[in-house]
Amino acid sequence: RILQLVVLIIIIGGLSGEAIYLYDYYTTRVQEVNERLNTKRAELDRKRADLEDVKQLRVDYQQLEGEARELFDALPDKAELPNLYLQLKGLADASGVVMQSFNVAETEAVEVDEDREISESTVNVNLVGTDYELLKEYLSKVENSLRIIDVTSLNYDPREDVFSVILRTYYKQE
C-alpha cells in the first residue's frame, strides 16, 4: 500500500511538474503571439493611414489636374502681342498712368506635359507720370486681368521718373 501511495505521489508530482512546464511554455507562446499580433495590427493601422493619405493625394491631384487643364484652356492660342499691348495700354489709361514703351524681351517654350506645351513672353513696360498710388492701381488691374500675367520685376529710375515693369505672360505653343 505504501508503495502504491509513493508511486501515486510520484505520478501526481510528475504530472504537476509537466503541467507547470506546459503552462509556462504556452503562456510564453501566447504572449509572443499576442506581441506579434499587436505589432501586425499597428503595422496594419499605419498602412491603412498611408492608404488614406494616398487616396487624399489622388483626390488632390485630380483636382489640381482639373485646375491646370482649366488654366491651360484659358491661355490664348498664340502670343497675341498686339492684343496684349492694347490690354496693357487700356489698363494704364484706366489707372491714370502713361505707358511710355512696350518691348517684348524674349519668348520661351516650356513643356507642361507630353501633350501640352506653353510659351511665355517676357514684356518690359515703362510707365511715366505716375505716383505710388497710381502704380499700385495699375499693378492691381494687371493682377486681376483675365489674361495670366506675372509681374517679375519692378524698377524705378528717379532721374527719368520712369517705372520699369517686367511682366511674363503665357500662351499655348503654336
Side-chain angles (χ1 to χ4, degrees), residues 47 81 102 115 136 159 166:
K47 288 187 179 190
L81 294 175
F102 172 90
D115 298 330
K136 190 168 122 179
R159 293 174 303 193
I166 299 177

Side-chain angles (χ1 to χ4, degrees), residues 125-149:
V125 176
N126 287 334
L127 305 171
V128 295
T130 186
D131 60 20
Y132 174 75
E133 290 301 320
L134 295 176
L135 176 67
K136 190 168 122 179
E137 184 179 339
Y138 174 75
L139 293 175
S140 176
K141 289 183 184 301
V142 168
E143 176 186 14
N144 293 313
S145 68
L146 291 178
R147 186 161 183 169
I148 300 172
I149 301 172

Side-chain angles (χ1 to χ4, degrees), residues 5 13-14 55 72 79 84-85 94-96 98-99 104 109 111 116 126 138 142 152 156:
L5 189 59
K55 286 179 181 178
F72 185 77
L84 179 62
Y85 169 80
S95 301
V98 177
M99 189 165 74
V104 178
E111 185 175 327
R116 301 178 290 200
N126 287 334
Y138 174 75
V142 168
T152 59
Y156 177 67

Side-chain angles (χ1 to χ4, degrees), residues 56-103:
Q56 185 60 45
L57 285 172
R58 185 175 185 191
V59 168
D60 293 346
Y61 174 78
Q62 288 171 341
Q63 181 181 0
L64 289 174
E65 186 177 42
E67 290 173 8
R69 191 175 308 114
E70 288 175 14
L71 284 174
F72 185 77
D73 292 342
L75 293 175
D77 291 330
K78 4 179 209 189
E80 297 180 2
L81 294 175
N83 289 340
L84 179 62
Y85 169 80
L86 291 174
Q87 181 183 10
L88 293 174
K89 176 86 169 101
L91 294 175
D93 292 344
S95 301
V97 299
V98 177
M99 189 165 74
Q100 182 184 42
S101 66
F102 172 90
N103 298 309

Side-chain angles (χ1 to χ4, degrees), residues 152-172:
T152 59
S153 176
L154 175 65
N155 297 307
Y156 177 67
D157 184 354
R159 293 174 303 193
E160 297 183 23
D161 195 28
V162 174
F163 283 96
S164 176
V165 183
I166 299 177
L167 307 168
R168 183 174 296 130
T169 186
Y170 307 91
Y171 58 94
K172 294 175 189 171

